[in-house]
Amino acid sequence: MIKLWKRKTEELQIKEESTVYNEQKEKEMNKRALIKKNEENLLYNLNVRIKDSNNQAESLINIIEVISNRVEEQVKAISEVVNEIGNYSAMAQELSASSNTSYETARETLGIIEEGSKAVYNTIDSMNEIEKSISSVMIEIHELKTATAQIDNILDVIKGIADQTDLLSLNAAIEAARAGEAGRGFAVVANEVKLLAERSTASANDISNIINNINKSVNTTIEAIEKSNEKIKEGSSIAEESNISFSRIEKAIQTMIETMNEINNAISIQTNSLESIVASTDEMSNVSDKAMSMVESALLNTQFTKAALVALEQVVNLLNGVTKELVDETINSEGEMVTIRSNFSEPIFTLDPAMVNSMENMRFLMNIHTGLLTTSDTGDVLPSLAKSWYVEDDNLTWIFNLRNNAKFHNGKIIRAEDIKYCLERVLSPNLKSPNTWFIDYIDGAKEYMENISNEVSGIRIIGENQLAIKLATPFSGFLMFLSQICCAVMDPMELEKGNLVGCGPYRLESANNDLYRLVAFEEYIGGKPYCDIVEIVSGDKNALGNFINNKYDFYVVQGKRELDEIKETKYYKNLKTEELLATFYLGFKIKNTDSQYTSKKVREAIHYAINKKRVVDEMTGGFASEAKCMIPSKLVPSDHISGYNYNPEKARQILKSQNVDLSKPLNILCGQNIHGALRFIEEDLKAIGITCKYHQVSDKEHANSANIYKGYDVYLYGWYADAIEPSSFIEPLFATNSVSNLSGYESEELMRLLKIAKQTSNPIRRMEIYKEIQRIISEDVPCIPLYHPYNGICTQERITNVNLSPLAMIKYDNIIKE
């Protein structure tokens, strides 16, 4: 019995050892199969990347050739400019000489005018003297006329006396005749008296005639003098007008001399400048020659790079063959499907990429869909359905060369018409996508969105594998925006049926309740995903605990509570953190003009009252950075902004100066769960006398509260950048009538600058404009930026290459399970 028991025990031990061995062997085989699969996928993806690099090198060669032609044209143009500047320099010298001559002539003319002006002054003085003399003569003549009149009166007296004397002589003669001889002597006297009277009468008549003639002459003289006086006055007036004209001419010539002097100086400076310009253009010509040489060198180097990539591709193909043969010899089993699991903290609101506007929803859909372009782990643009592209000379029309082997998840080949359909779908007024602003700058988009036209004129099919997109205005962030998930390409025929069939690295196999199962798309144009299946759970209340218990393969750490919990585990030492291009902020319902808390000065007071450092330290545990401005500094620098430092005393002073009624509460619109930051804000505001009142709505209502103003003063919200392009952060939050502009903020100057920035190709100048926009938003205080959050990535031991971008995106197809 003992032997039998021993034998059975030994058999059982052997069986157990065999089972353990078989299990270990199976694990080893599965591990080898996983290594084989990863090796094959790695080589395949390396080949895809090399082909992409080859396509880009070819595009680069074409671009450099175009640049070479442009530089050559520039060199010719510079040569012509140099010649024209030389001619202009000679003309400028001639002009300078002519200007000097004109200047001297003007000075001589001014001298002559000054002499003429003096002569006119002398003439006026002489005429004034003549007028005075004539006035004196007129007085004398009038006195003469008066005297002659007096003489005429005296003559009348004399004539009267003569007449009386004649009468007396007659009487005396009569009386002498009567007296006879005795009166004879008296008769002689009477006769003499009569003769005297006759001579007196005759003399008086002669004098009277003379006086009449004198009066006639005086009257004639007076008339002549009066006419002369009028002419003198006219002459004096004309001389005065001449004097005024001379004065004006003198002033005009003096002004002309000053101007000509300035022109002469300017011409002199210009001549000197032209000499510098000629020297500069000579230098520019030399630089252009050097640039041409460098372009040719770059072209050669790019061709060498292409040749090297072709050689590398051959090596990879050879390595692929050798490695496959080696792996096949050492590893015969295919192994199990590779599955990775993770979670989302919030529900998936939509499966339509054209309608998505939440960060985690975007993270999910970007692994199912792709478009003309896509983004890397760092958020930079990568080729996808388009293998290469270039912009035409108008700086508006972009030509995209498509891959001829790209497929939808249903196996259908993707053509240019499919891309046009999907881009127009985003802009369709029937869909009402919140993402139209990403591509509404395409030529004809506005007309299409307003139902004026049946298609977007700026999207043009050149061939099956070539597409042209013309912009209404130049836009520096065009490629970045085109790489967004809302521009994903889906099968139009399936869309008409209500099905969302994409062409990304994974296809959605099932969506049961909160569990989403993604299966790798083997024919994905961007390469083979390393993991076959990705399972995502949304809304798990114990997600972090389930990760720690190995239910999830990777986990995105958000906030202080999760950070503190991770610190107590083995995962903390490998935690990879990333500051996101995001801002959590307190926004004001500015259009609620009935509120005492939405005026600018009160907004400033509330800004001063909030202790952001306390929010970062105590709420996030340092898992964030204080926000000085709304736009993250990684997008737009904020060194030129002073900001609003924590200063509760200043806040109180402003509230007092604005006569704020502190008995009225500050009404806060918030989601179903009151955010932790609001508790800190509530305490800070209470310290300056403001009480807070919460109004809770659903998260969906909160995210779409742009038109809700009545009864609310502020709200708390967070915004994540969609692209590494400042306008993608600014426009949704602050553009007039944007559905994400929850504050209702409006600024014509901001919109003007934003338009200019988007059209500016010079990156330095463009950033200067964005910095000015940063300043405007900071000074207008439509929102109070609180902090820029960090996220972290934790992984299980066998999971590698999980990368979180600054946009909070994770590419599942890059994740490797060892």
Side-chain angles (χ1 to χ4, degrees), residues 477-496:
F478 168 59
L479 297 179
M480 187 65 72
F481 276 17
L482 199 59
S483 68
Q484 298 308 298
I485 188 61
C486 63
C487 298
V489 177
M490 294 172 282
D491 185 351
M493 293 183 65
E494 293 295 333
L495 282 171
E496 296 291 341

Side-chain angles (χ1 to χ4, degrees), residues 668-674 694-698 701 712:
I668 302 175
L669 179 67
C670 57
Q672 291 171 321
N673 298 316
I674 298 176
Y694 298 110
H695 300 266
Q696 292 177 268
V697 297
S698 69
E701 286 179 293
Y712 306 112

Side-chain angles (χ1 to χ4, degrees), residues 274-468:
L274 280 171
E275 292 175 358
S276 300
I277 291 171
V278 170
S280 298
T281 49
D282 287 338
E283 181 63 24
M284 186 167 59
S285 182
N286 294 331
V287 170
S288 296
D289 290 337
K290 292 177 182 177
M292 187 67 181
S293 176
M294 291 174 68
V295 168
E296 290 174 355
S297 177
L299 182 60
L300 287 174
N301 289 334
T302 309
Q303 290 171 340
F304 294 153
T305 302
K306 182 181 178 182
L309 287 171
V310 171
L312 181 59
E313 184 179 9
Q314 293 172 350
V315 171
V316 169
N317 290 333
L318 181 61
L319 178 63
N320 194 8
V322 171
T323 303
K324 188 176 186 304
E325 184 179 345
L326 178 62
V327 170
D328 286 342
E329 286 182 2
T330 56
I331 304 170
N332 294 320
S333 63
E334 290 299 321
E336 299 176 352
M337 300 286 282
V338 180
T339 302
I340 54 173
R341 297 174 178 85
S342 189
N343 75 291
F344 283 151
S345 60
E346 63 181 32
I348 302 298
F349 295 113
T350 179
L351 295 175
D352 188 346
M355 300 301 293
V356 67
N357 63 353
S358 84
M359 183 267 293
E360 286 195 330
N361 210 152
M362 290 173 62
R363 182 192 296 164
F364 177 66
L365 293 181
M366 73 167 293
N367 289 285
I368 300 173
H369 300 280
T370 190
L372 275 171
L373 306 171
T374 187
T375 54
S376 67
D377 284 337
T378 59
D380 297 308
V381 174
L382 286 176
S384 188
L385 299 180
K387 64 179 182 180
S388 61
W389 56 87
Y390 63 91
V391 63
E392 293 187 339
D393 288 346
D394 61 0
N395 200 29
L396 295 172
T397 306
W398 290 81
I399 306 299
F400 294 91
N401 300 310
L402 311 181
R403 302 179 194 271
N404 57 12
N405 59 341
K407 295 180 180 180
F408 291 114
H409 290 157
N410 57 11
K412 179 182 173 183
I413 297 292
I414 301 171
R415 300 301 183 199
E417 60 186 21
D418 302 321
I419 298 170
K420 177 178 170 67
Y421 178 93
C422 290
L423 292 177
E424 289 180 338
R425 178 175 179 267
V426 174
L427 297 169
S428 170
N430 298 324
L431 185 66
K432 294 181 173 60
S433 168
N435 299 306
T436 54
W437 61 275
F438 276 107
I439 55 173
D440 64 2
Y441 47 83
I442 296 176
D443 191 30
K446 301 291 186 184
E447 292 80 359
Y448 181 74
M449 293 167 67
E450 295 171 2
N451 273 324
I452 297 174
S453 61
N454 296 324
E455 65 174 349
V456 180
S457 59
I459 305 175
R460 183 166 49 90
I461 298 171
I462 300 175
E464 282 190 349
N465 298 314
Q466 198 172 48
L467 185 76

Side-chain angles (χ1 to χ4, degrees), residues 465-622:
N465 298 314
Q466 198 172 48
L467 185 76
I469 299 180
K470 183 180 180 181
L471 310 183
T473 57
F475 177 37
S476 55
F478 168 59
L479 297 179
M480 187 65 72
F481 276 17
L482 199 59
S483 68
Q484 298 308 298
I485 188 61
C486 63
C487 298
V489 177
M490 294 172 282
D491 185 351
M493 293 183 65
E494 293 295 333
L495 282 171
E496 296 291 341
K497 301 174 186 177
N499 300 324
L500 304 169
V501 178
C503 53
Y506 289 90
R507 61 179 178 83
L508 180 62
E509 184 183 70
S510 62
N512 299 320
N513 297 323
D514 294 326
L515 176 63
Y516 297 86
R517 182 180 171 88
L518 306 181
V519 178
F521 180 41
E522 292 292 325
E523 296 182 277
Y524 172 54
I525 199 67
K528 293 180 179 180
Y530 296 103
C531 298
D532 301 301
I533 296 170
V534 179
E535 291 182 348
I536 301 294
V537 177
S538 66
D540 185 351
K541 300 300 182 183
N542 188 33
L544 182 54
N546 287 329
F547 167 74
I548 293 172
N549 292 327
N550 211 24
K551 181 179 178 180
Y552 301 130
D553 291 297
F554 63 92
Y555 186 82
V556 179
V557 179
Q558 304 178 68
K560 181 178 183 297
R561 183 189 62 80
E562 293 183 345
L563 182 64
D564 290 342
E565 195 169 342
I566 283 292
K567 284 180 179 178
E568 303 300 322
T569 69
K570 62 181 181 180
Y571 300 105
Y572 182 68
K573 64 179 181 179
N574 294 322
L575 177 68
K576 295 192 296 184
T577 61
E578 181 71 42
E579 181 177 337
L580 304 181
L581 296 176
T583 304
F584 276 81
Y585 63 94
L586 188 72
F588 292 91
K589 289 289 187 180
I590 294 176
K591 287 191 176 179
N592 183 7
T593 54
D594 295 332
S595 169
Q596 63 175 348
Y597 292 111
T598 58
S599 67
K600 183 179 177 182
K601 294 299 293 183
V602 177
R603 299 200 303 264
E604 290 178 352
I606 294 175
H607 201 162
Y608 282 120
I610 296 175
N611 188 346
K612 299 177 187 178
K613 187 176 187 303
R614 179 168 171 249
V615 173
V616 169
D617 292 343
E618 297 184 27
M619 191 200 78
T620 73

